[in-house]
Amino acid sequence: MATFNLLQSGLVLHILGIIMMVGISLAEFVIFHQLLGFIPDDRDKAYMVLKTTSRFPLWQATGGGMIILGGILMMAALRGTIAGQLWFQIKMTLLFLLILNALLIARPAKRKLRKWLTGSVQQKAEDPSEIREIKRKIRLFHTSQLLLFFVIIMLAVFRFN
């Protein structure tokens, strides 16, 4: 009975974490599409949108923590039997790619965008190539993030061996 409760509790935490991470990613995708439309004509509006979304990474990390904690509880209940399965190993690799995507693509691009919007970086006459590059990186981040989530969910549902 205790194993069943541990498994169910882990599953609830895991699903809630996934909902948080995917939901925030989708919301951020939609919001950033709107934000990028404000550039370069309305910097103030774009900055306010960026500032509004500044806590999204914290909520995503909370969702990620829930996913990990739920996964640990489920692994404990199942005594680690799924750790050796191929679908699970691929899922963990994709989860690692999600984290790398956020750290290596999104964080630097958002930092550059924030500096550009606040004027704390010296712009070369509103350099359109720099803005295009920031937009490209943010779009790449969101597209790959949502695609990775889709594949992770498919792996979890179909669990091939």
Side-chain angles (χ1 to χ4, degrees):
M1 183 69 163
T3 301
F4 178 75
N5 289 335
L6 190 62
L7 181 63
Q8 299 300 59
S9 298
L11 186 58
V12 167
L13 273 175
H14 201 70
I15 290 171
L16 288 175
I18 291 169
I19 290 168
M20 282 179 68
M21 286 194 75
V22 173
I24 290 169
S25 290
L26 193 56
E28 189 178 60
F29 173 77
V30 171
I31 291 168
F32 265 84
H33 181 74
Q34 184 178 20
L35 179 150
L36 296 176
F38 293 141
I39 297 173
D41 299 329
D42 197 345
R43 274 188 180 190
D44 292 336
K45 195 179 280 187
Y47 179 72
M48 288 309 296
V49 172
L50 184 65
K51 191 171 174 140
T52 302
T53 63
S54 67
R55 294 284 185 217
F56 279 10
L58 175 65
W59 287 104
Q60 279 197 306
T62 302
M66 291 170 71
I67 290 171
I68 292 168
L69 180 59
I72 290 169
L73 291 175
M74 289 188 295
M75 287 288 268
L78 297 172
R79 295 178 183 24
T81 56
I82 60 172
Q85 296 182 6
L86 180 61
W87 71 268
F88 182 78
Q89 294 168 354
I90 294 171
K91 183 179 165 186
M92 290 298 102
T93 302
L94 294 176
L95 183 60
F96 181 69
L97 289 176
L98 279 172
I99 295 166
L100 280 179
N101 192 28
L103 293 175
L104 299 178
I105 297 175
R107 185 179 280 175
K110 289 177 185 177
R111 190 176 296 131
K112 276 185 181 179
L113 180 61
R114 187 174 296 108
K115 286 179 181 178
W116 189 85
L117 289 172
T118 60
S120 63
V121 68
Q122 191 72 347
Q123 291 105 17
K124 298 175 273 185
E126 304 290 326
D127 185 4
S129 64
E130 183 180 5
I131 293 304
R132 270 196 306 275
E133 183 63 18
I134 292 170
K135 286 180 176 184
R136 187 188 68 75
K137 284 185 179 180
I138 290 174
R139 285 187 182 121
L140 172 67
F141 163 71
H142 285 122
T143 303
S144 57
Q145 203 78 341
L146 292 172
L147 182 63
L148 285 168
F149 278 126
F150 176 76
V151 174
I152 287 170
I153 290 169
M154 294 298 287
L155 283 169
V157 170
F158 288 105
R159 295 182 182 185
F160 67 88
N161 287 319

